Amino acid sequence: MTNRKKIAAGNWKMHKTLQEAQGLVHEIRTMAETELMNQAQILVFPPFIHLQTLVKQTEGSNIKIGAQNMHQNEQGAFTGEISASMLKSIQVEYVLIGHSERRQYFNETTTTCREKINKALIHGLKPVYCIGETLEERNQGNHFVVVEEQLQALADVQPENFSNTIIAYEPVWAIGTGLTASADQANEMHIHIRKVVSEILNADFAANVSILYGGSVKPDNAQSLFAMSDIDGALIGGAALNSRDFIDIAKSF
Ligand code: PGA
């Protein structure tokens, strides 16, 4: 018997000015308070410069704010980077690690992700670790192997941090393309992920970790995804930029 947290997480990527961000969070908060019965934890990942404002704006609500990335070092000469302790100092609670766009455009690897996850946990941040295969890797039948390799980044997570760690499976071919993995395809991978993390860490973590699906999640496909045995929520890009769509997805549990 597990008690996995249901999560609807919005990854805003490089979208929204401060004023637009405040407006969108205002709408999300109002709708969440009137329409949601706490069936899901709501997470919002805005650009760095809006974090502090939005943390304040969501105080006392069911919405938690997270960063889209962080640097793996404690501090130092890394121009343009943000550390875990900086995020923690403004009450940020969550951080995306290893999003496929970071891997693709900013050369993040399983090794750097492993360092980032460890650093995030040391500072009391909750990492949402993103993994997933490209279309080429899936067509070659390598999708399970690719995900297994990416999951090695979780190898140092200690039992006291199991409940602070979240996984997001996002097949790269489904991100922003309108192509969604079918509910069965996604669930098949989620089951595989639990098996692999059970081998890397332990069965308790595997059974209790929330695994989100991401890649063109919309109000009209969320329900079939969430109905699957091993899908505990969604990491939502495009549809999270619209308050109505985002809340409708969160209502689909
Ligand atoms: P999408 O993005 O929902 O626009 O496909 C998902 C993501 O990249 O997290």
Side-chain angles (χ1 to χ4, degrees):
M1 198 38 207
T2 70
N3 195 15
R4 295 198 293 263
K5 219 188 270 174
K6 305 283 182 206
I7 297 170
N11 172 15
W12 290 6
K13 310 191 180 185
M14 196 172 73
H15 292 284
K16 304 292 178 190
T17 63
L18 177 60
Q19 291 72 23
E20 291 166 349
Q22 288 174 294
L24 180 53
V25 162
H26 176 74
E27 290 171 15
I28 292 170
R29 182 171 183 166
T30 308
M31 288 183 191
E33 282 169 359
T34 51
E35 300 177 34
L36 285 180
M37 267 97 66
N38 279 340
Q39 57 265 66
Q41 171 70 61
I42 305 286
L43 305 181
V44 171
F45 294 86
F48 281 125
I49 56 166
H50 306 333
L51 287 170
Q52 193 170 14
T53 306
L54 299 186
V55 164
K56 292 212 175 85
Q57 198 183 333
T58 51
E59 265 170 18
S61 77
N62 178 37
I63 303 164
K64 303 277 188 207
I65 302 295
Q68 295 174 15
N69 179 34
M70 54 166 260
H71 196 268
Q72 62 273 29
N73 278 64
E74 205 56 55
Q75 59 181 2
F78 301 102
T79 301
E81 292 293 319
I82 303 284
S83 73
S85 58
M86 291 174 194
L87 295 174
K88 198 62 193 170
S89 72
I90 56 164
Q91 284 83 51
V92 166
E93 230 179 281
Y94 291 82
V95 59
L96 295 182
I97 305 280
H99 189 278
S100 64
E101 287 148 20
R102 303 281 330 159
R103 295 180 195 259
Q104 187 180 351
Y105 304 125
F106 304 97
N107 304 320
E108 292 199 6
T109 62
T110 295
T111 306
T112 50
C113 289
R114 185 170 180 162
E115 292 168 8
K116 289 182 183 206
I117 290 166
N118 295 337
K119 189 63 74 176
L121 289 168
I122 286 170
H123 286 278
L125 290 167
K126 297 175 179 158
V128 178
Y129 179 48
C130 307
I131 56 175
E133 81 285 357
T134 62
L135 186 57
E136 199 186 0
E137 288 161 343
R138 180 163 280 260
N139 287 341
Q140 289 167 347
N142 289 335
H143 44 299
F144 290 125
V145 177
V146 167
V147 162
E148 279 162 34
E149 189 271 333
Q150 293 170 335
L151 284 169
Q152 294 301 324
L154 294 171
D156 311 316
V157 177
Q158 300 299 307
E160 66 268 24
N161 281 319
F162 286 174
S163 62
N164 294 330
T165 307
I166 297 166
I167 297 170
Y169 168 60
E170 300 199 300
V172 179
W173 48 272
I175 295 178
T177 58
L179 291 175
T180 327
S182 69
D184 284 324
Q185 264 176 333
N187 202 47
E188 179 189 36
M189 184 59 93
H190 284 220
I191 290 169
H192 183 67
I193 290 167
R194 277 190 216 288
K195 181 170 156 279
V196 176
V197 291
S198 155
E199 288 157 13
I200 298 174
L201 292 167
N202 72 22
D204 177 51
F205 176 69
N208 290 297
V209 64
S210 292
I211 307 181
L212 316 183
Y213 170 77
S216 298
V217 177
K218 304 276 183 268
D220 62 6
N221 59 27
Q223 215 163 0
S224 61
L225 288 162
F226 297 162
M228 303 308 288
S229 64
D230 287 80
I231 299 180
D232 306 306
L235 182 54
I236 306 142
L241 297 173
N242 177 289
S243 53
R244 183 71 270 154
D245 287 351
F246 186 52
I247 293 296
D248 282 348
I249 292 169
K251 283 162 80 175
S252 302
F253 287 101

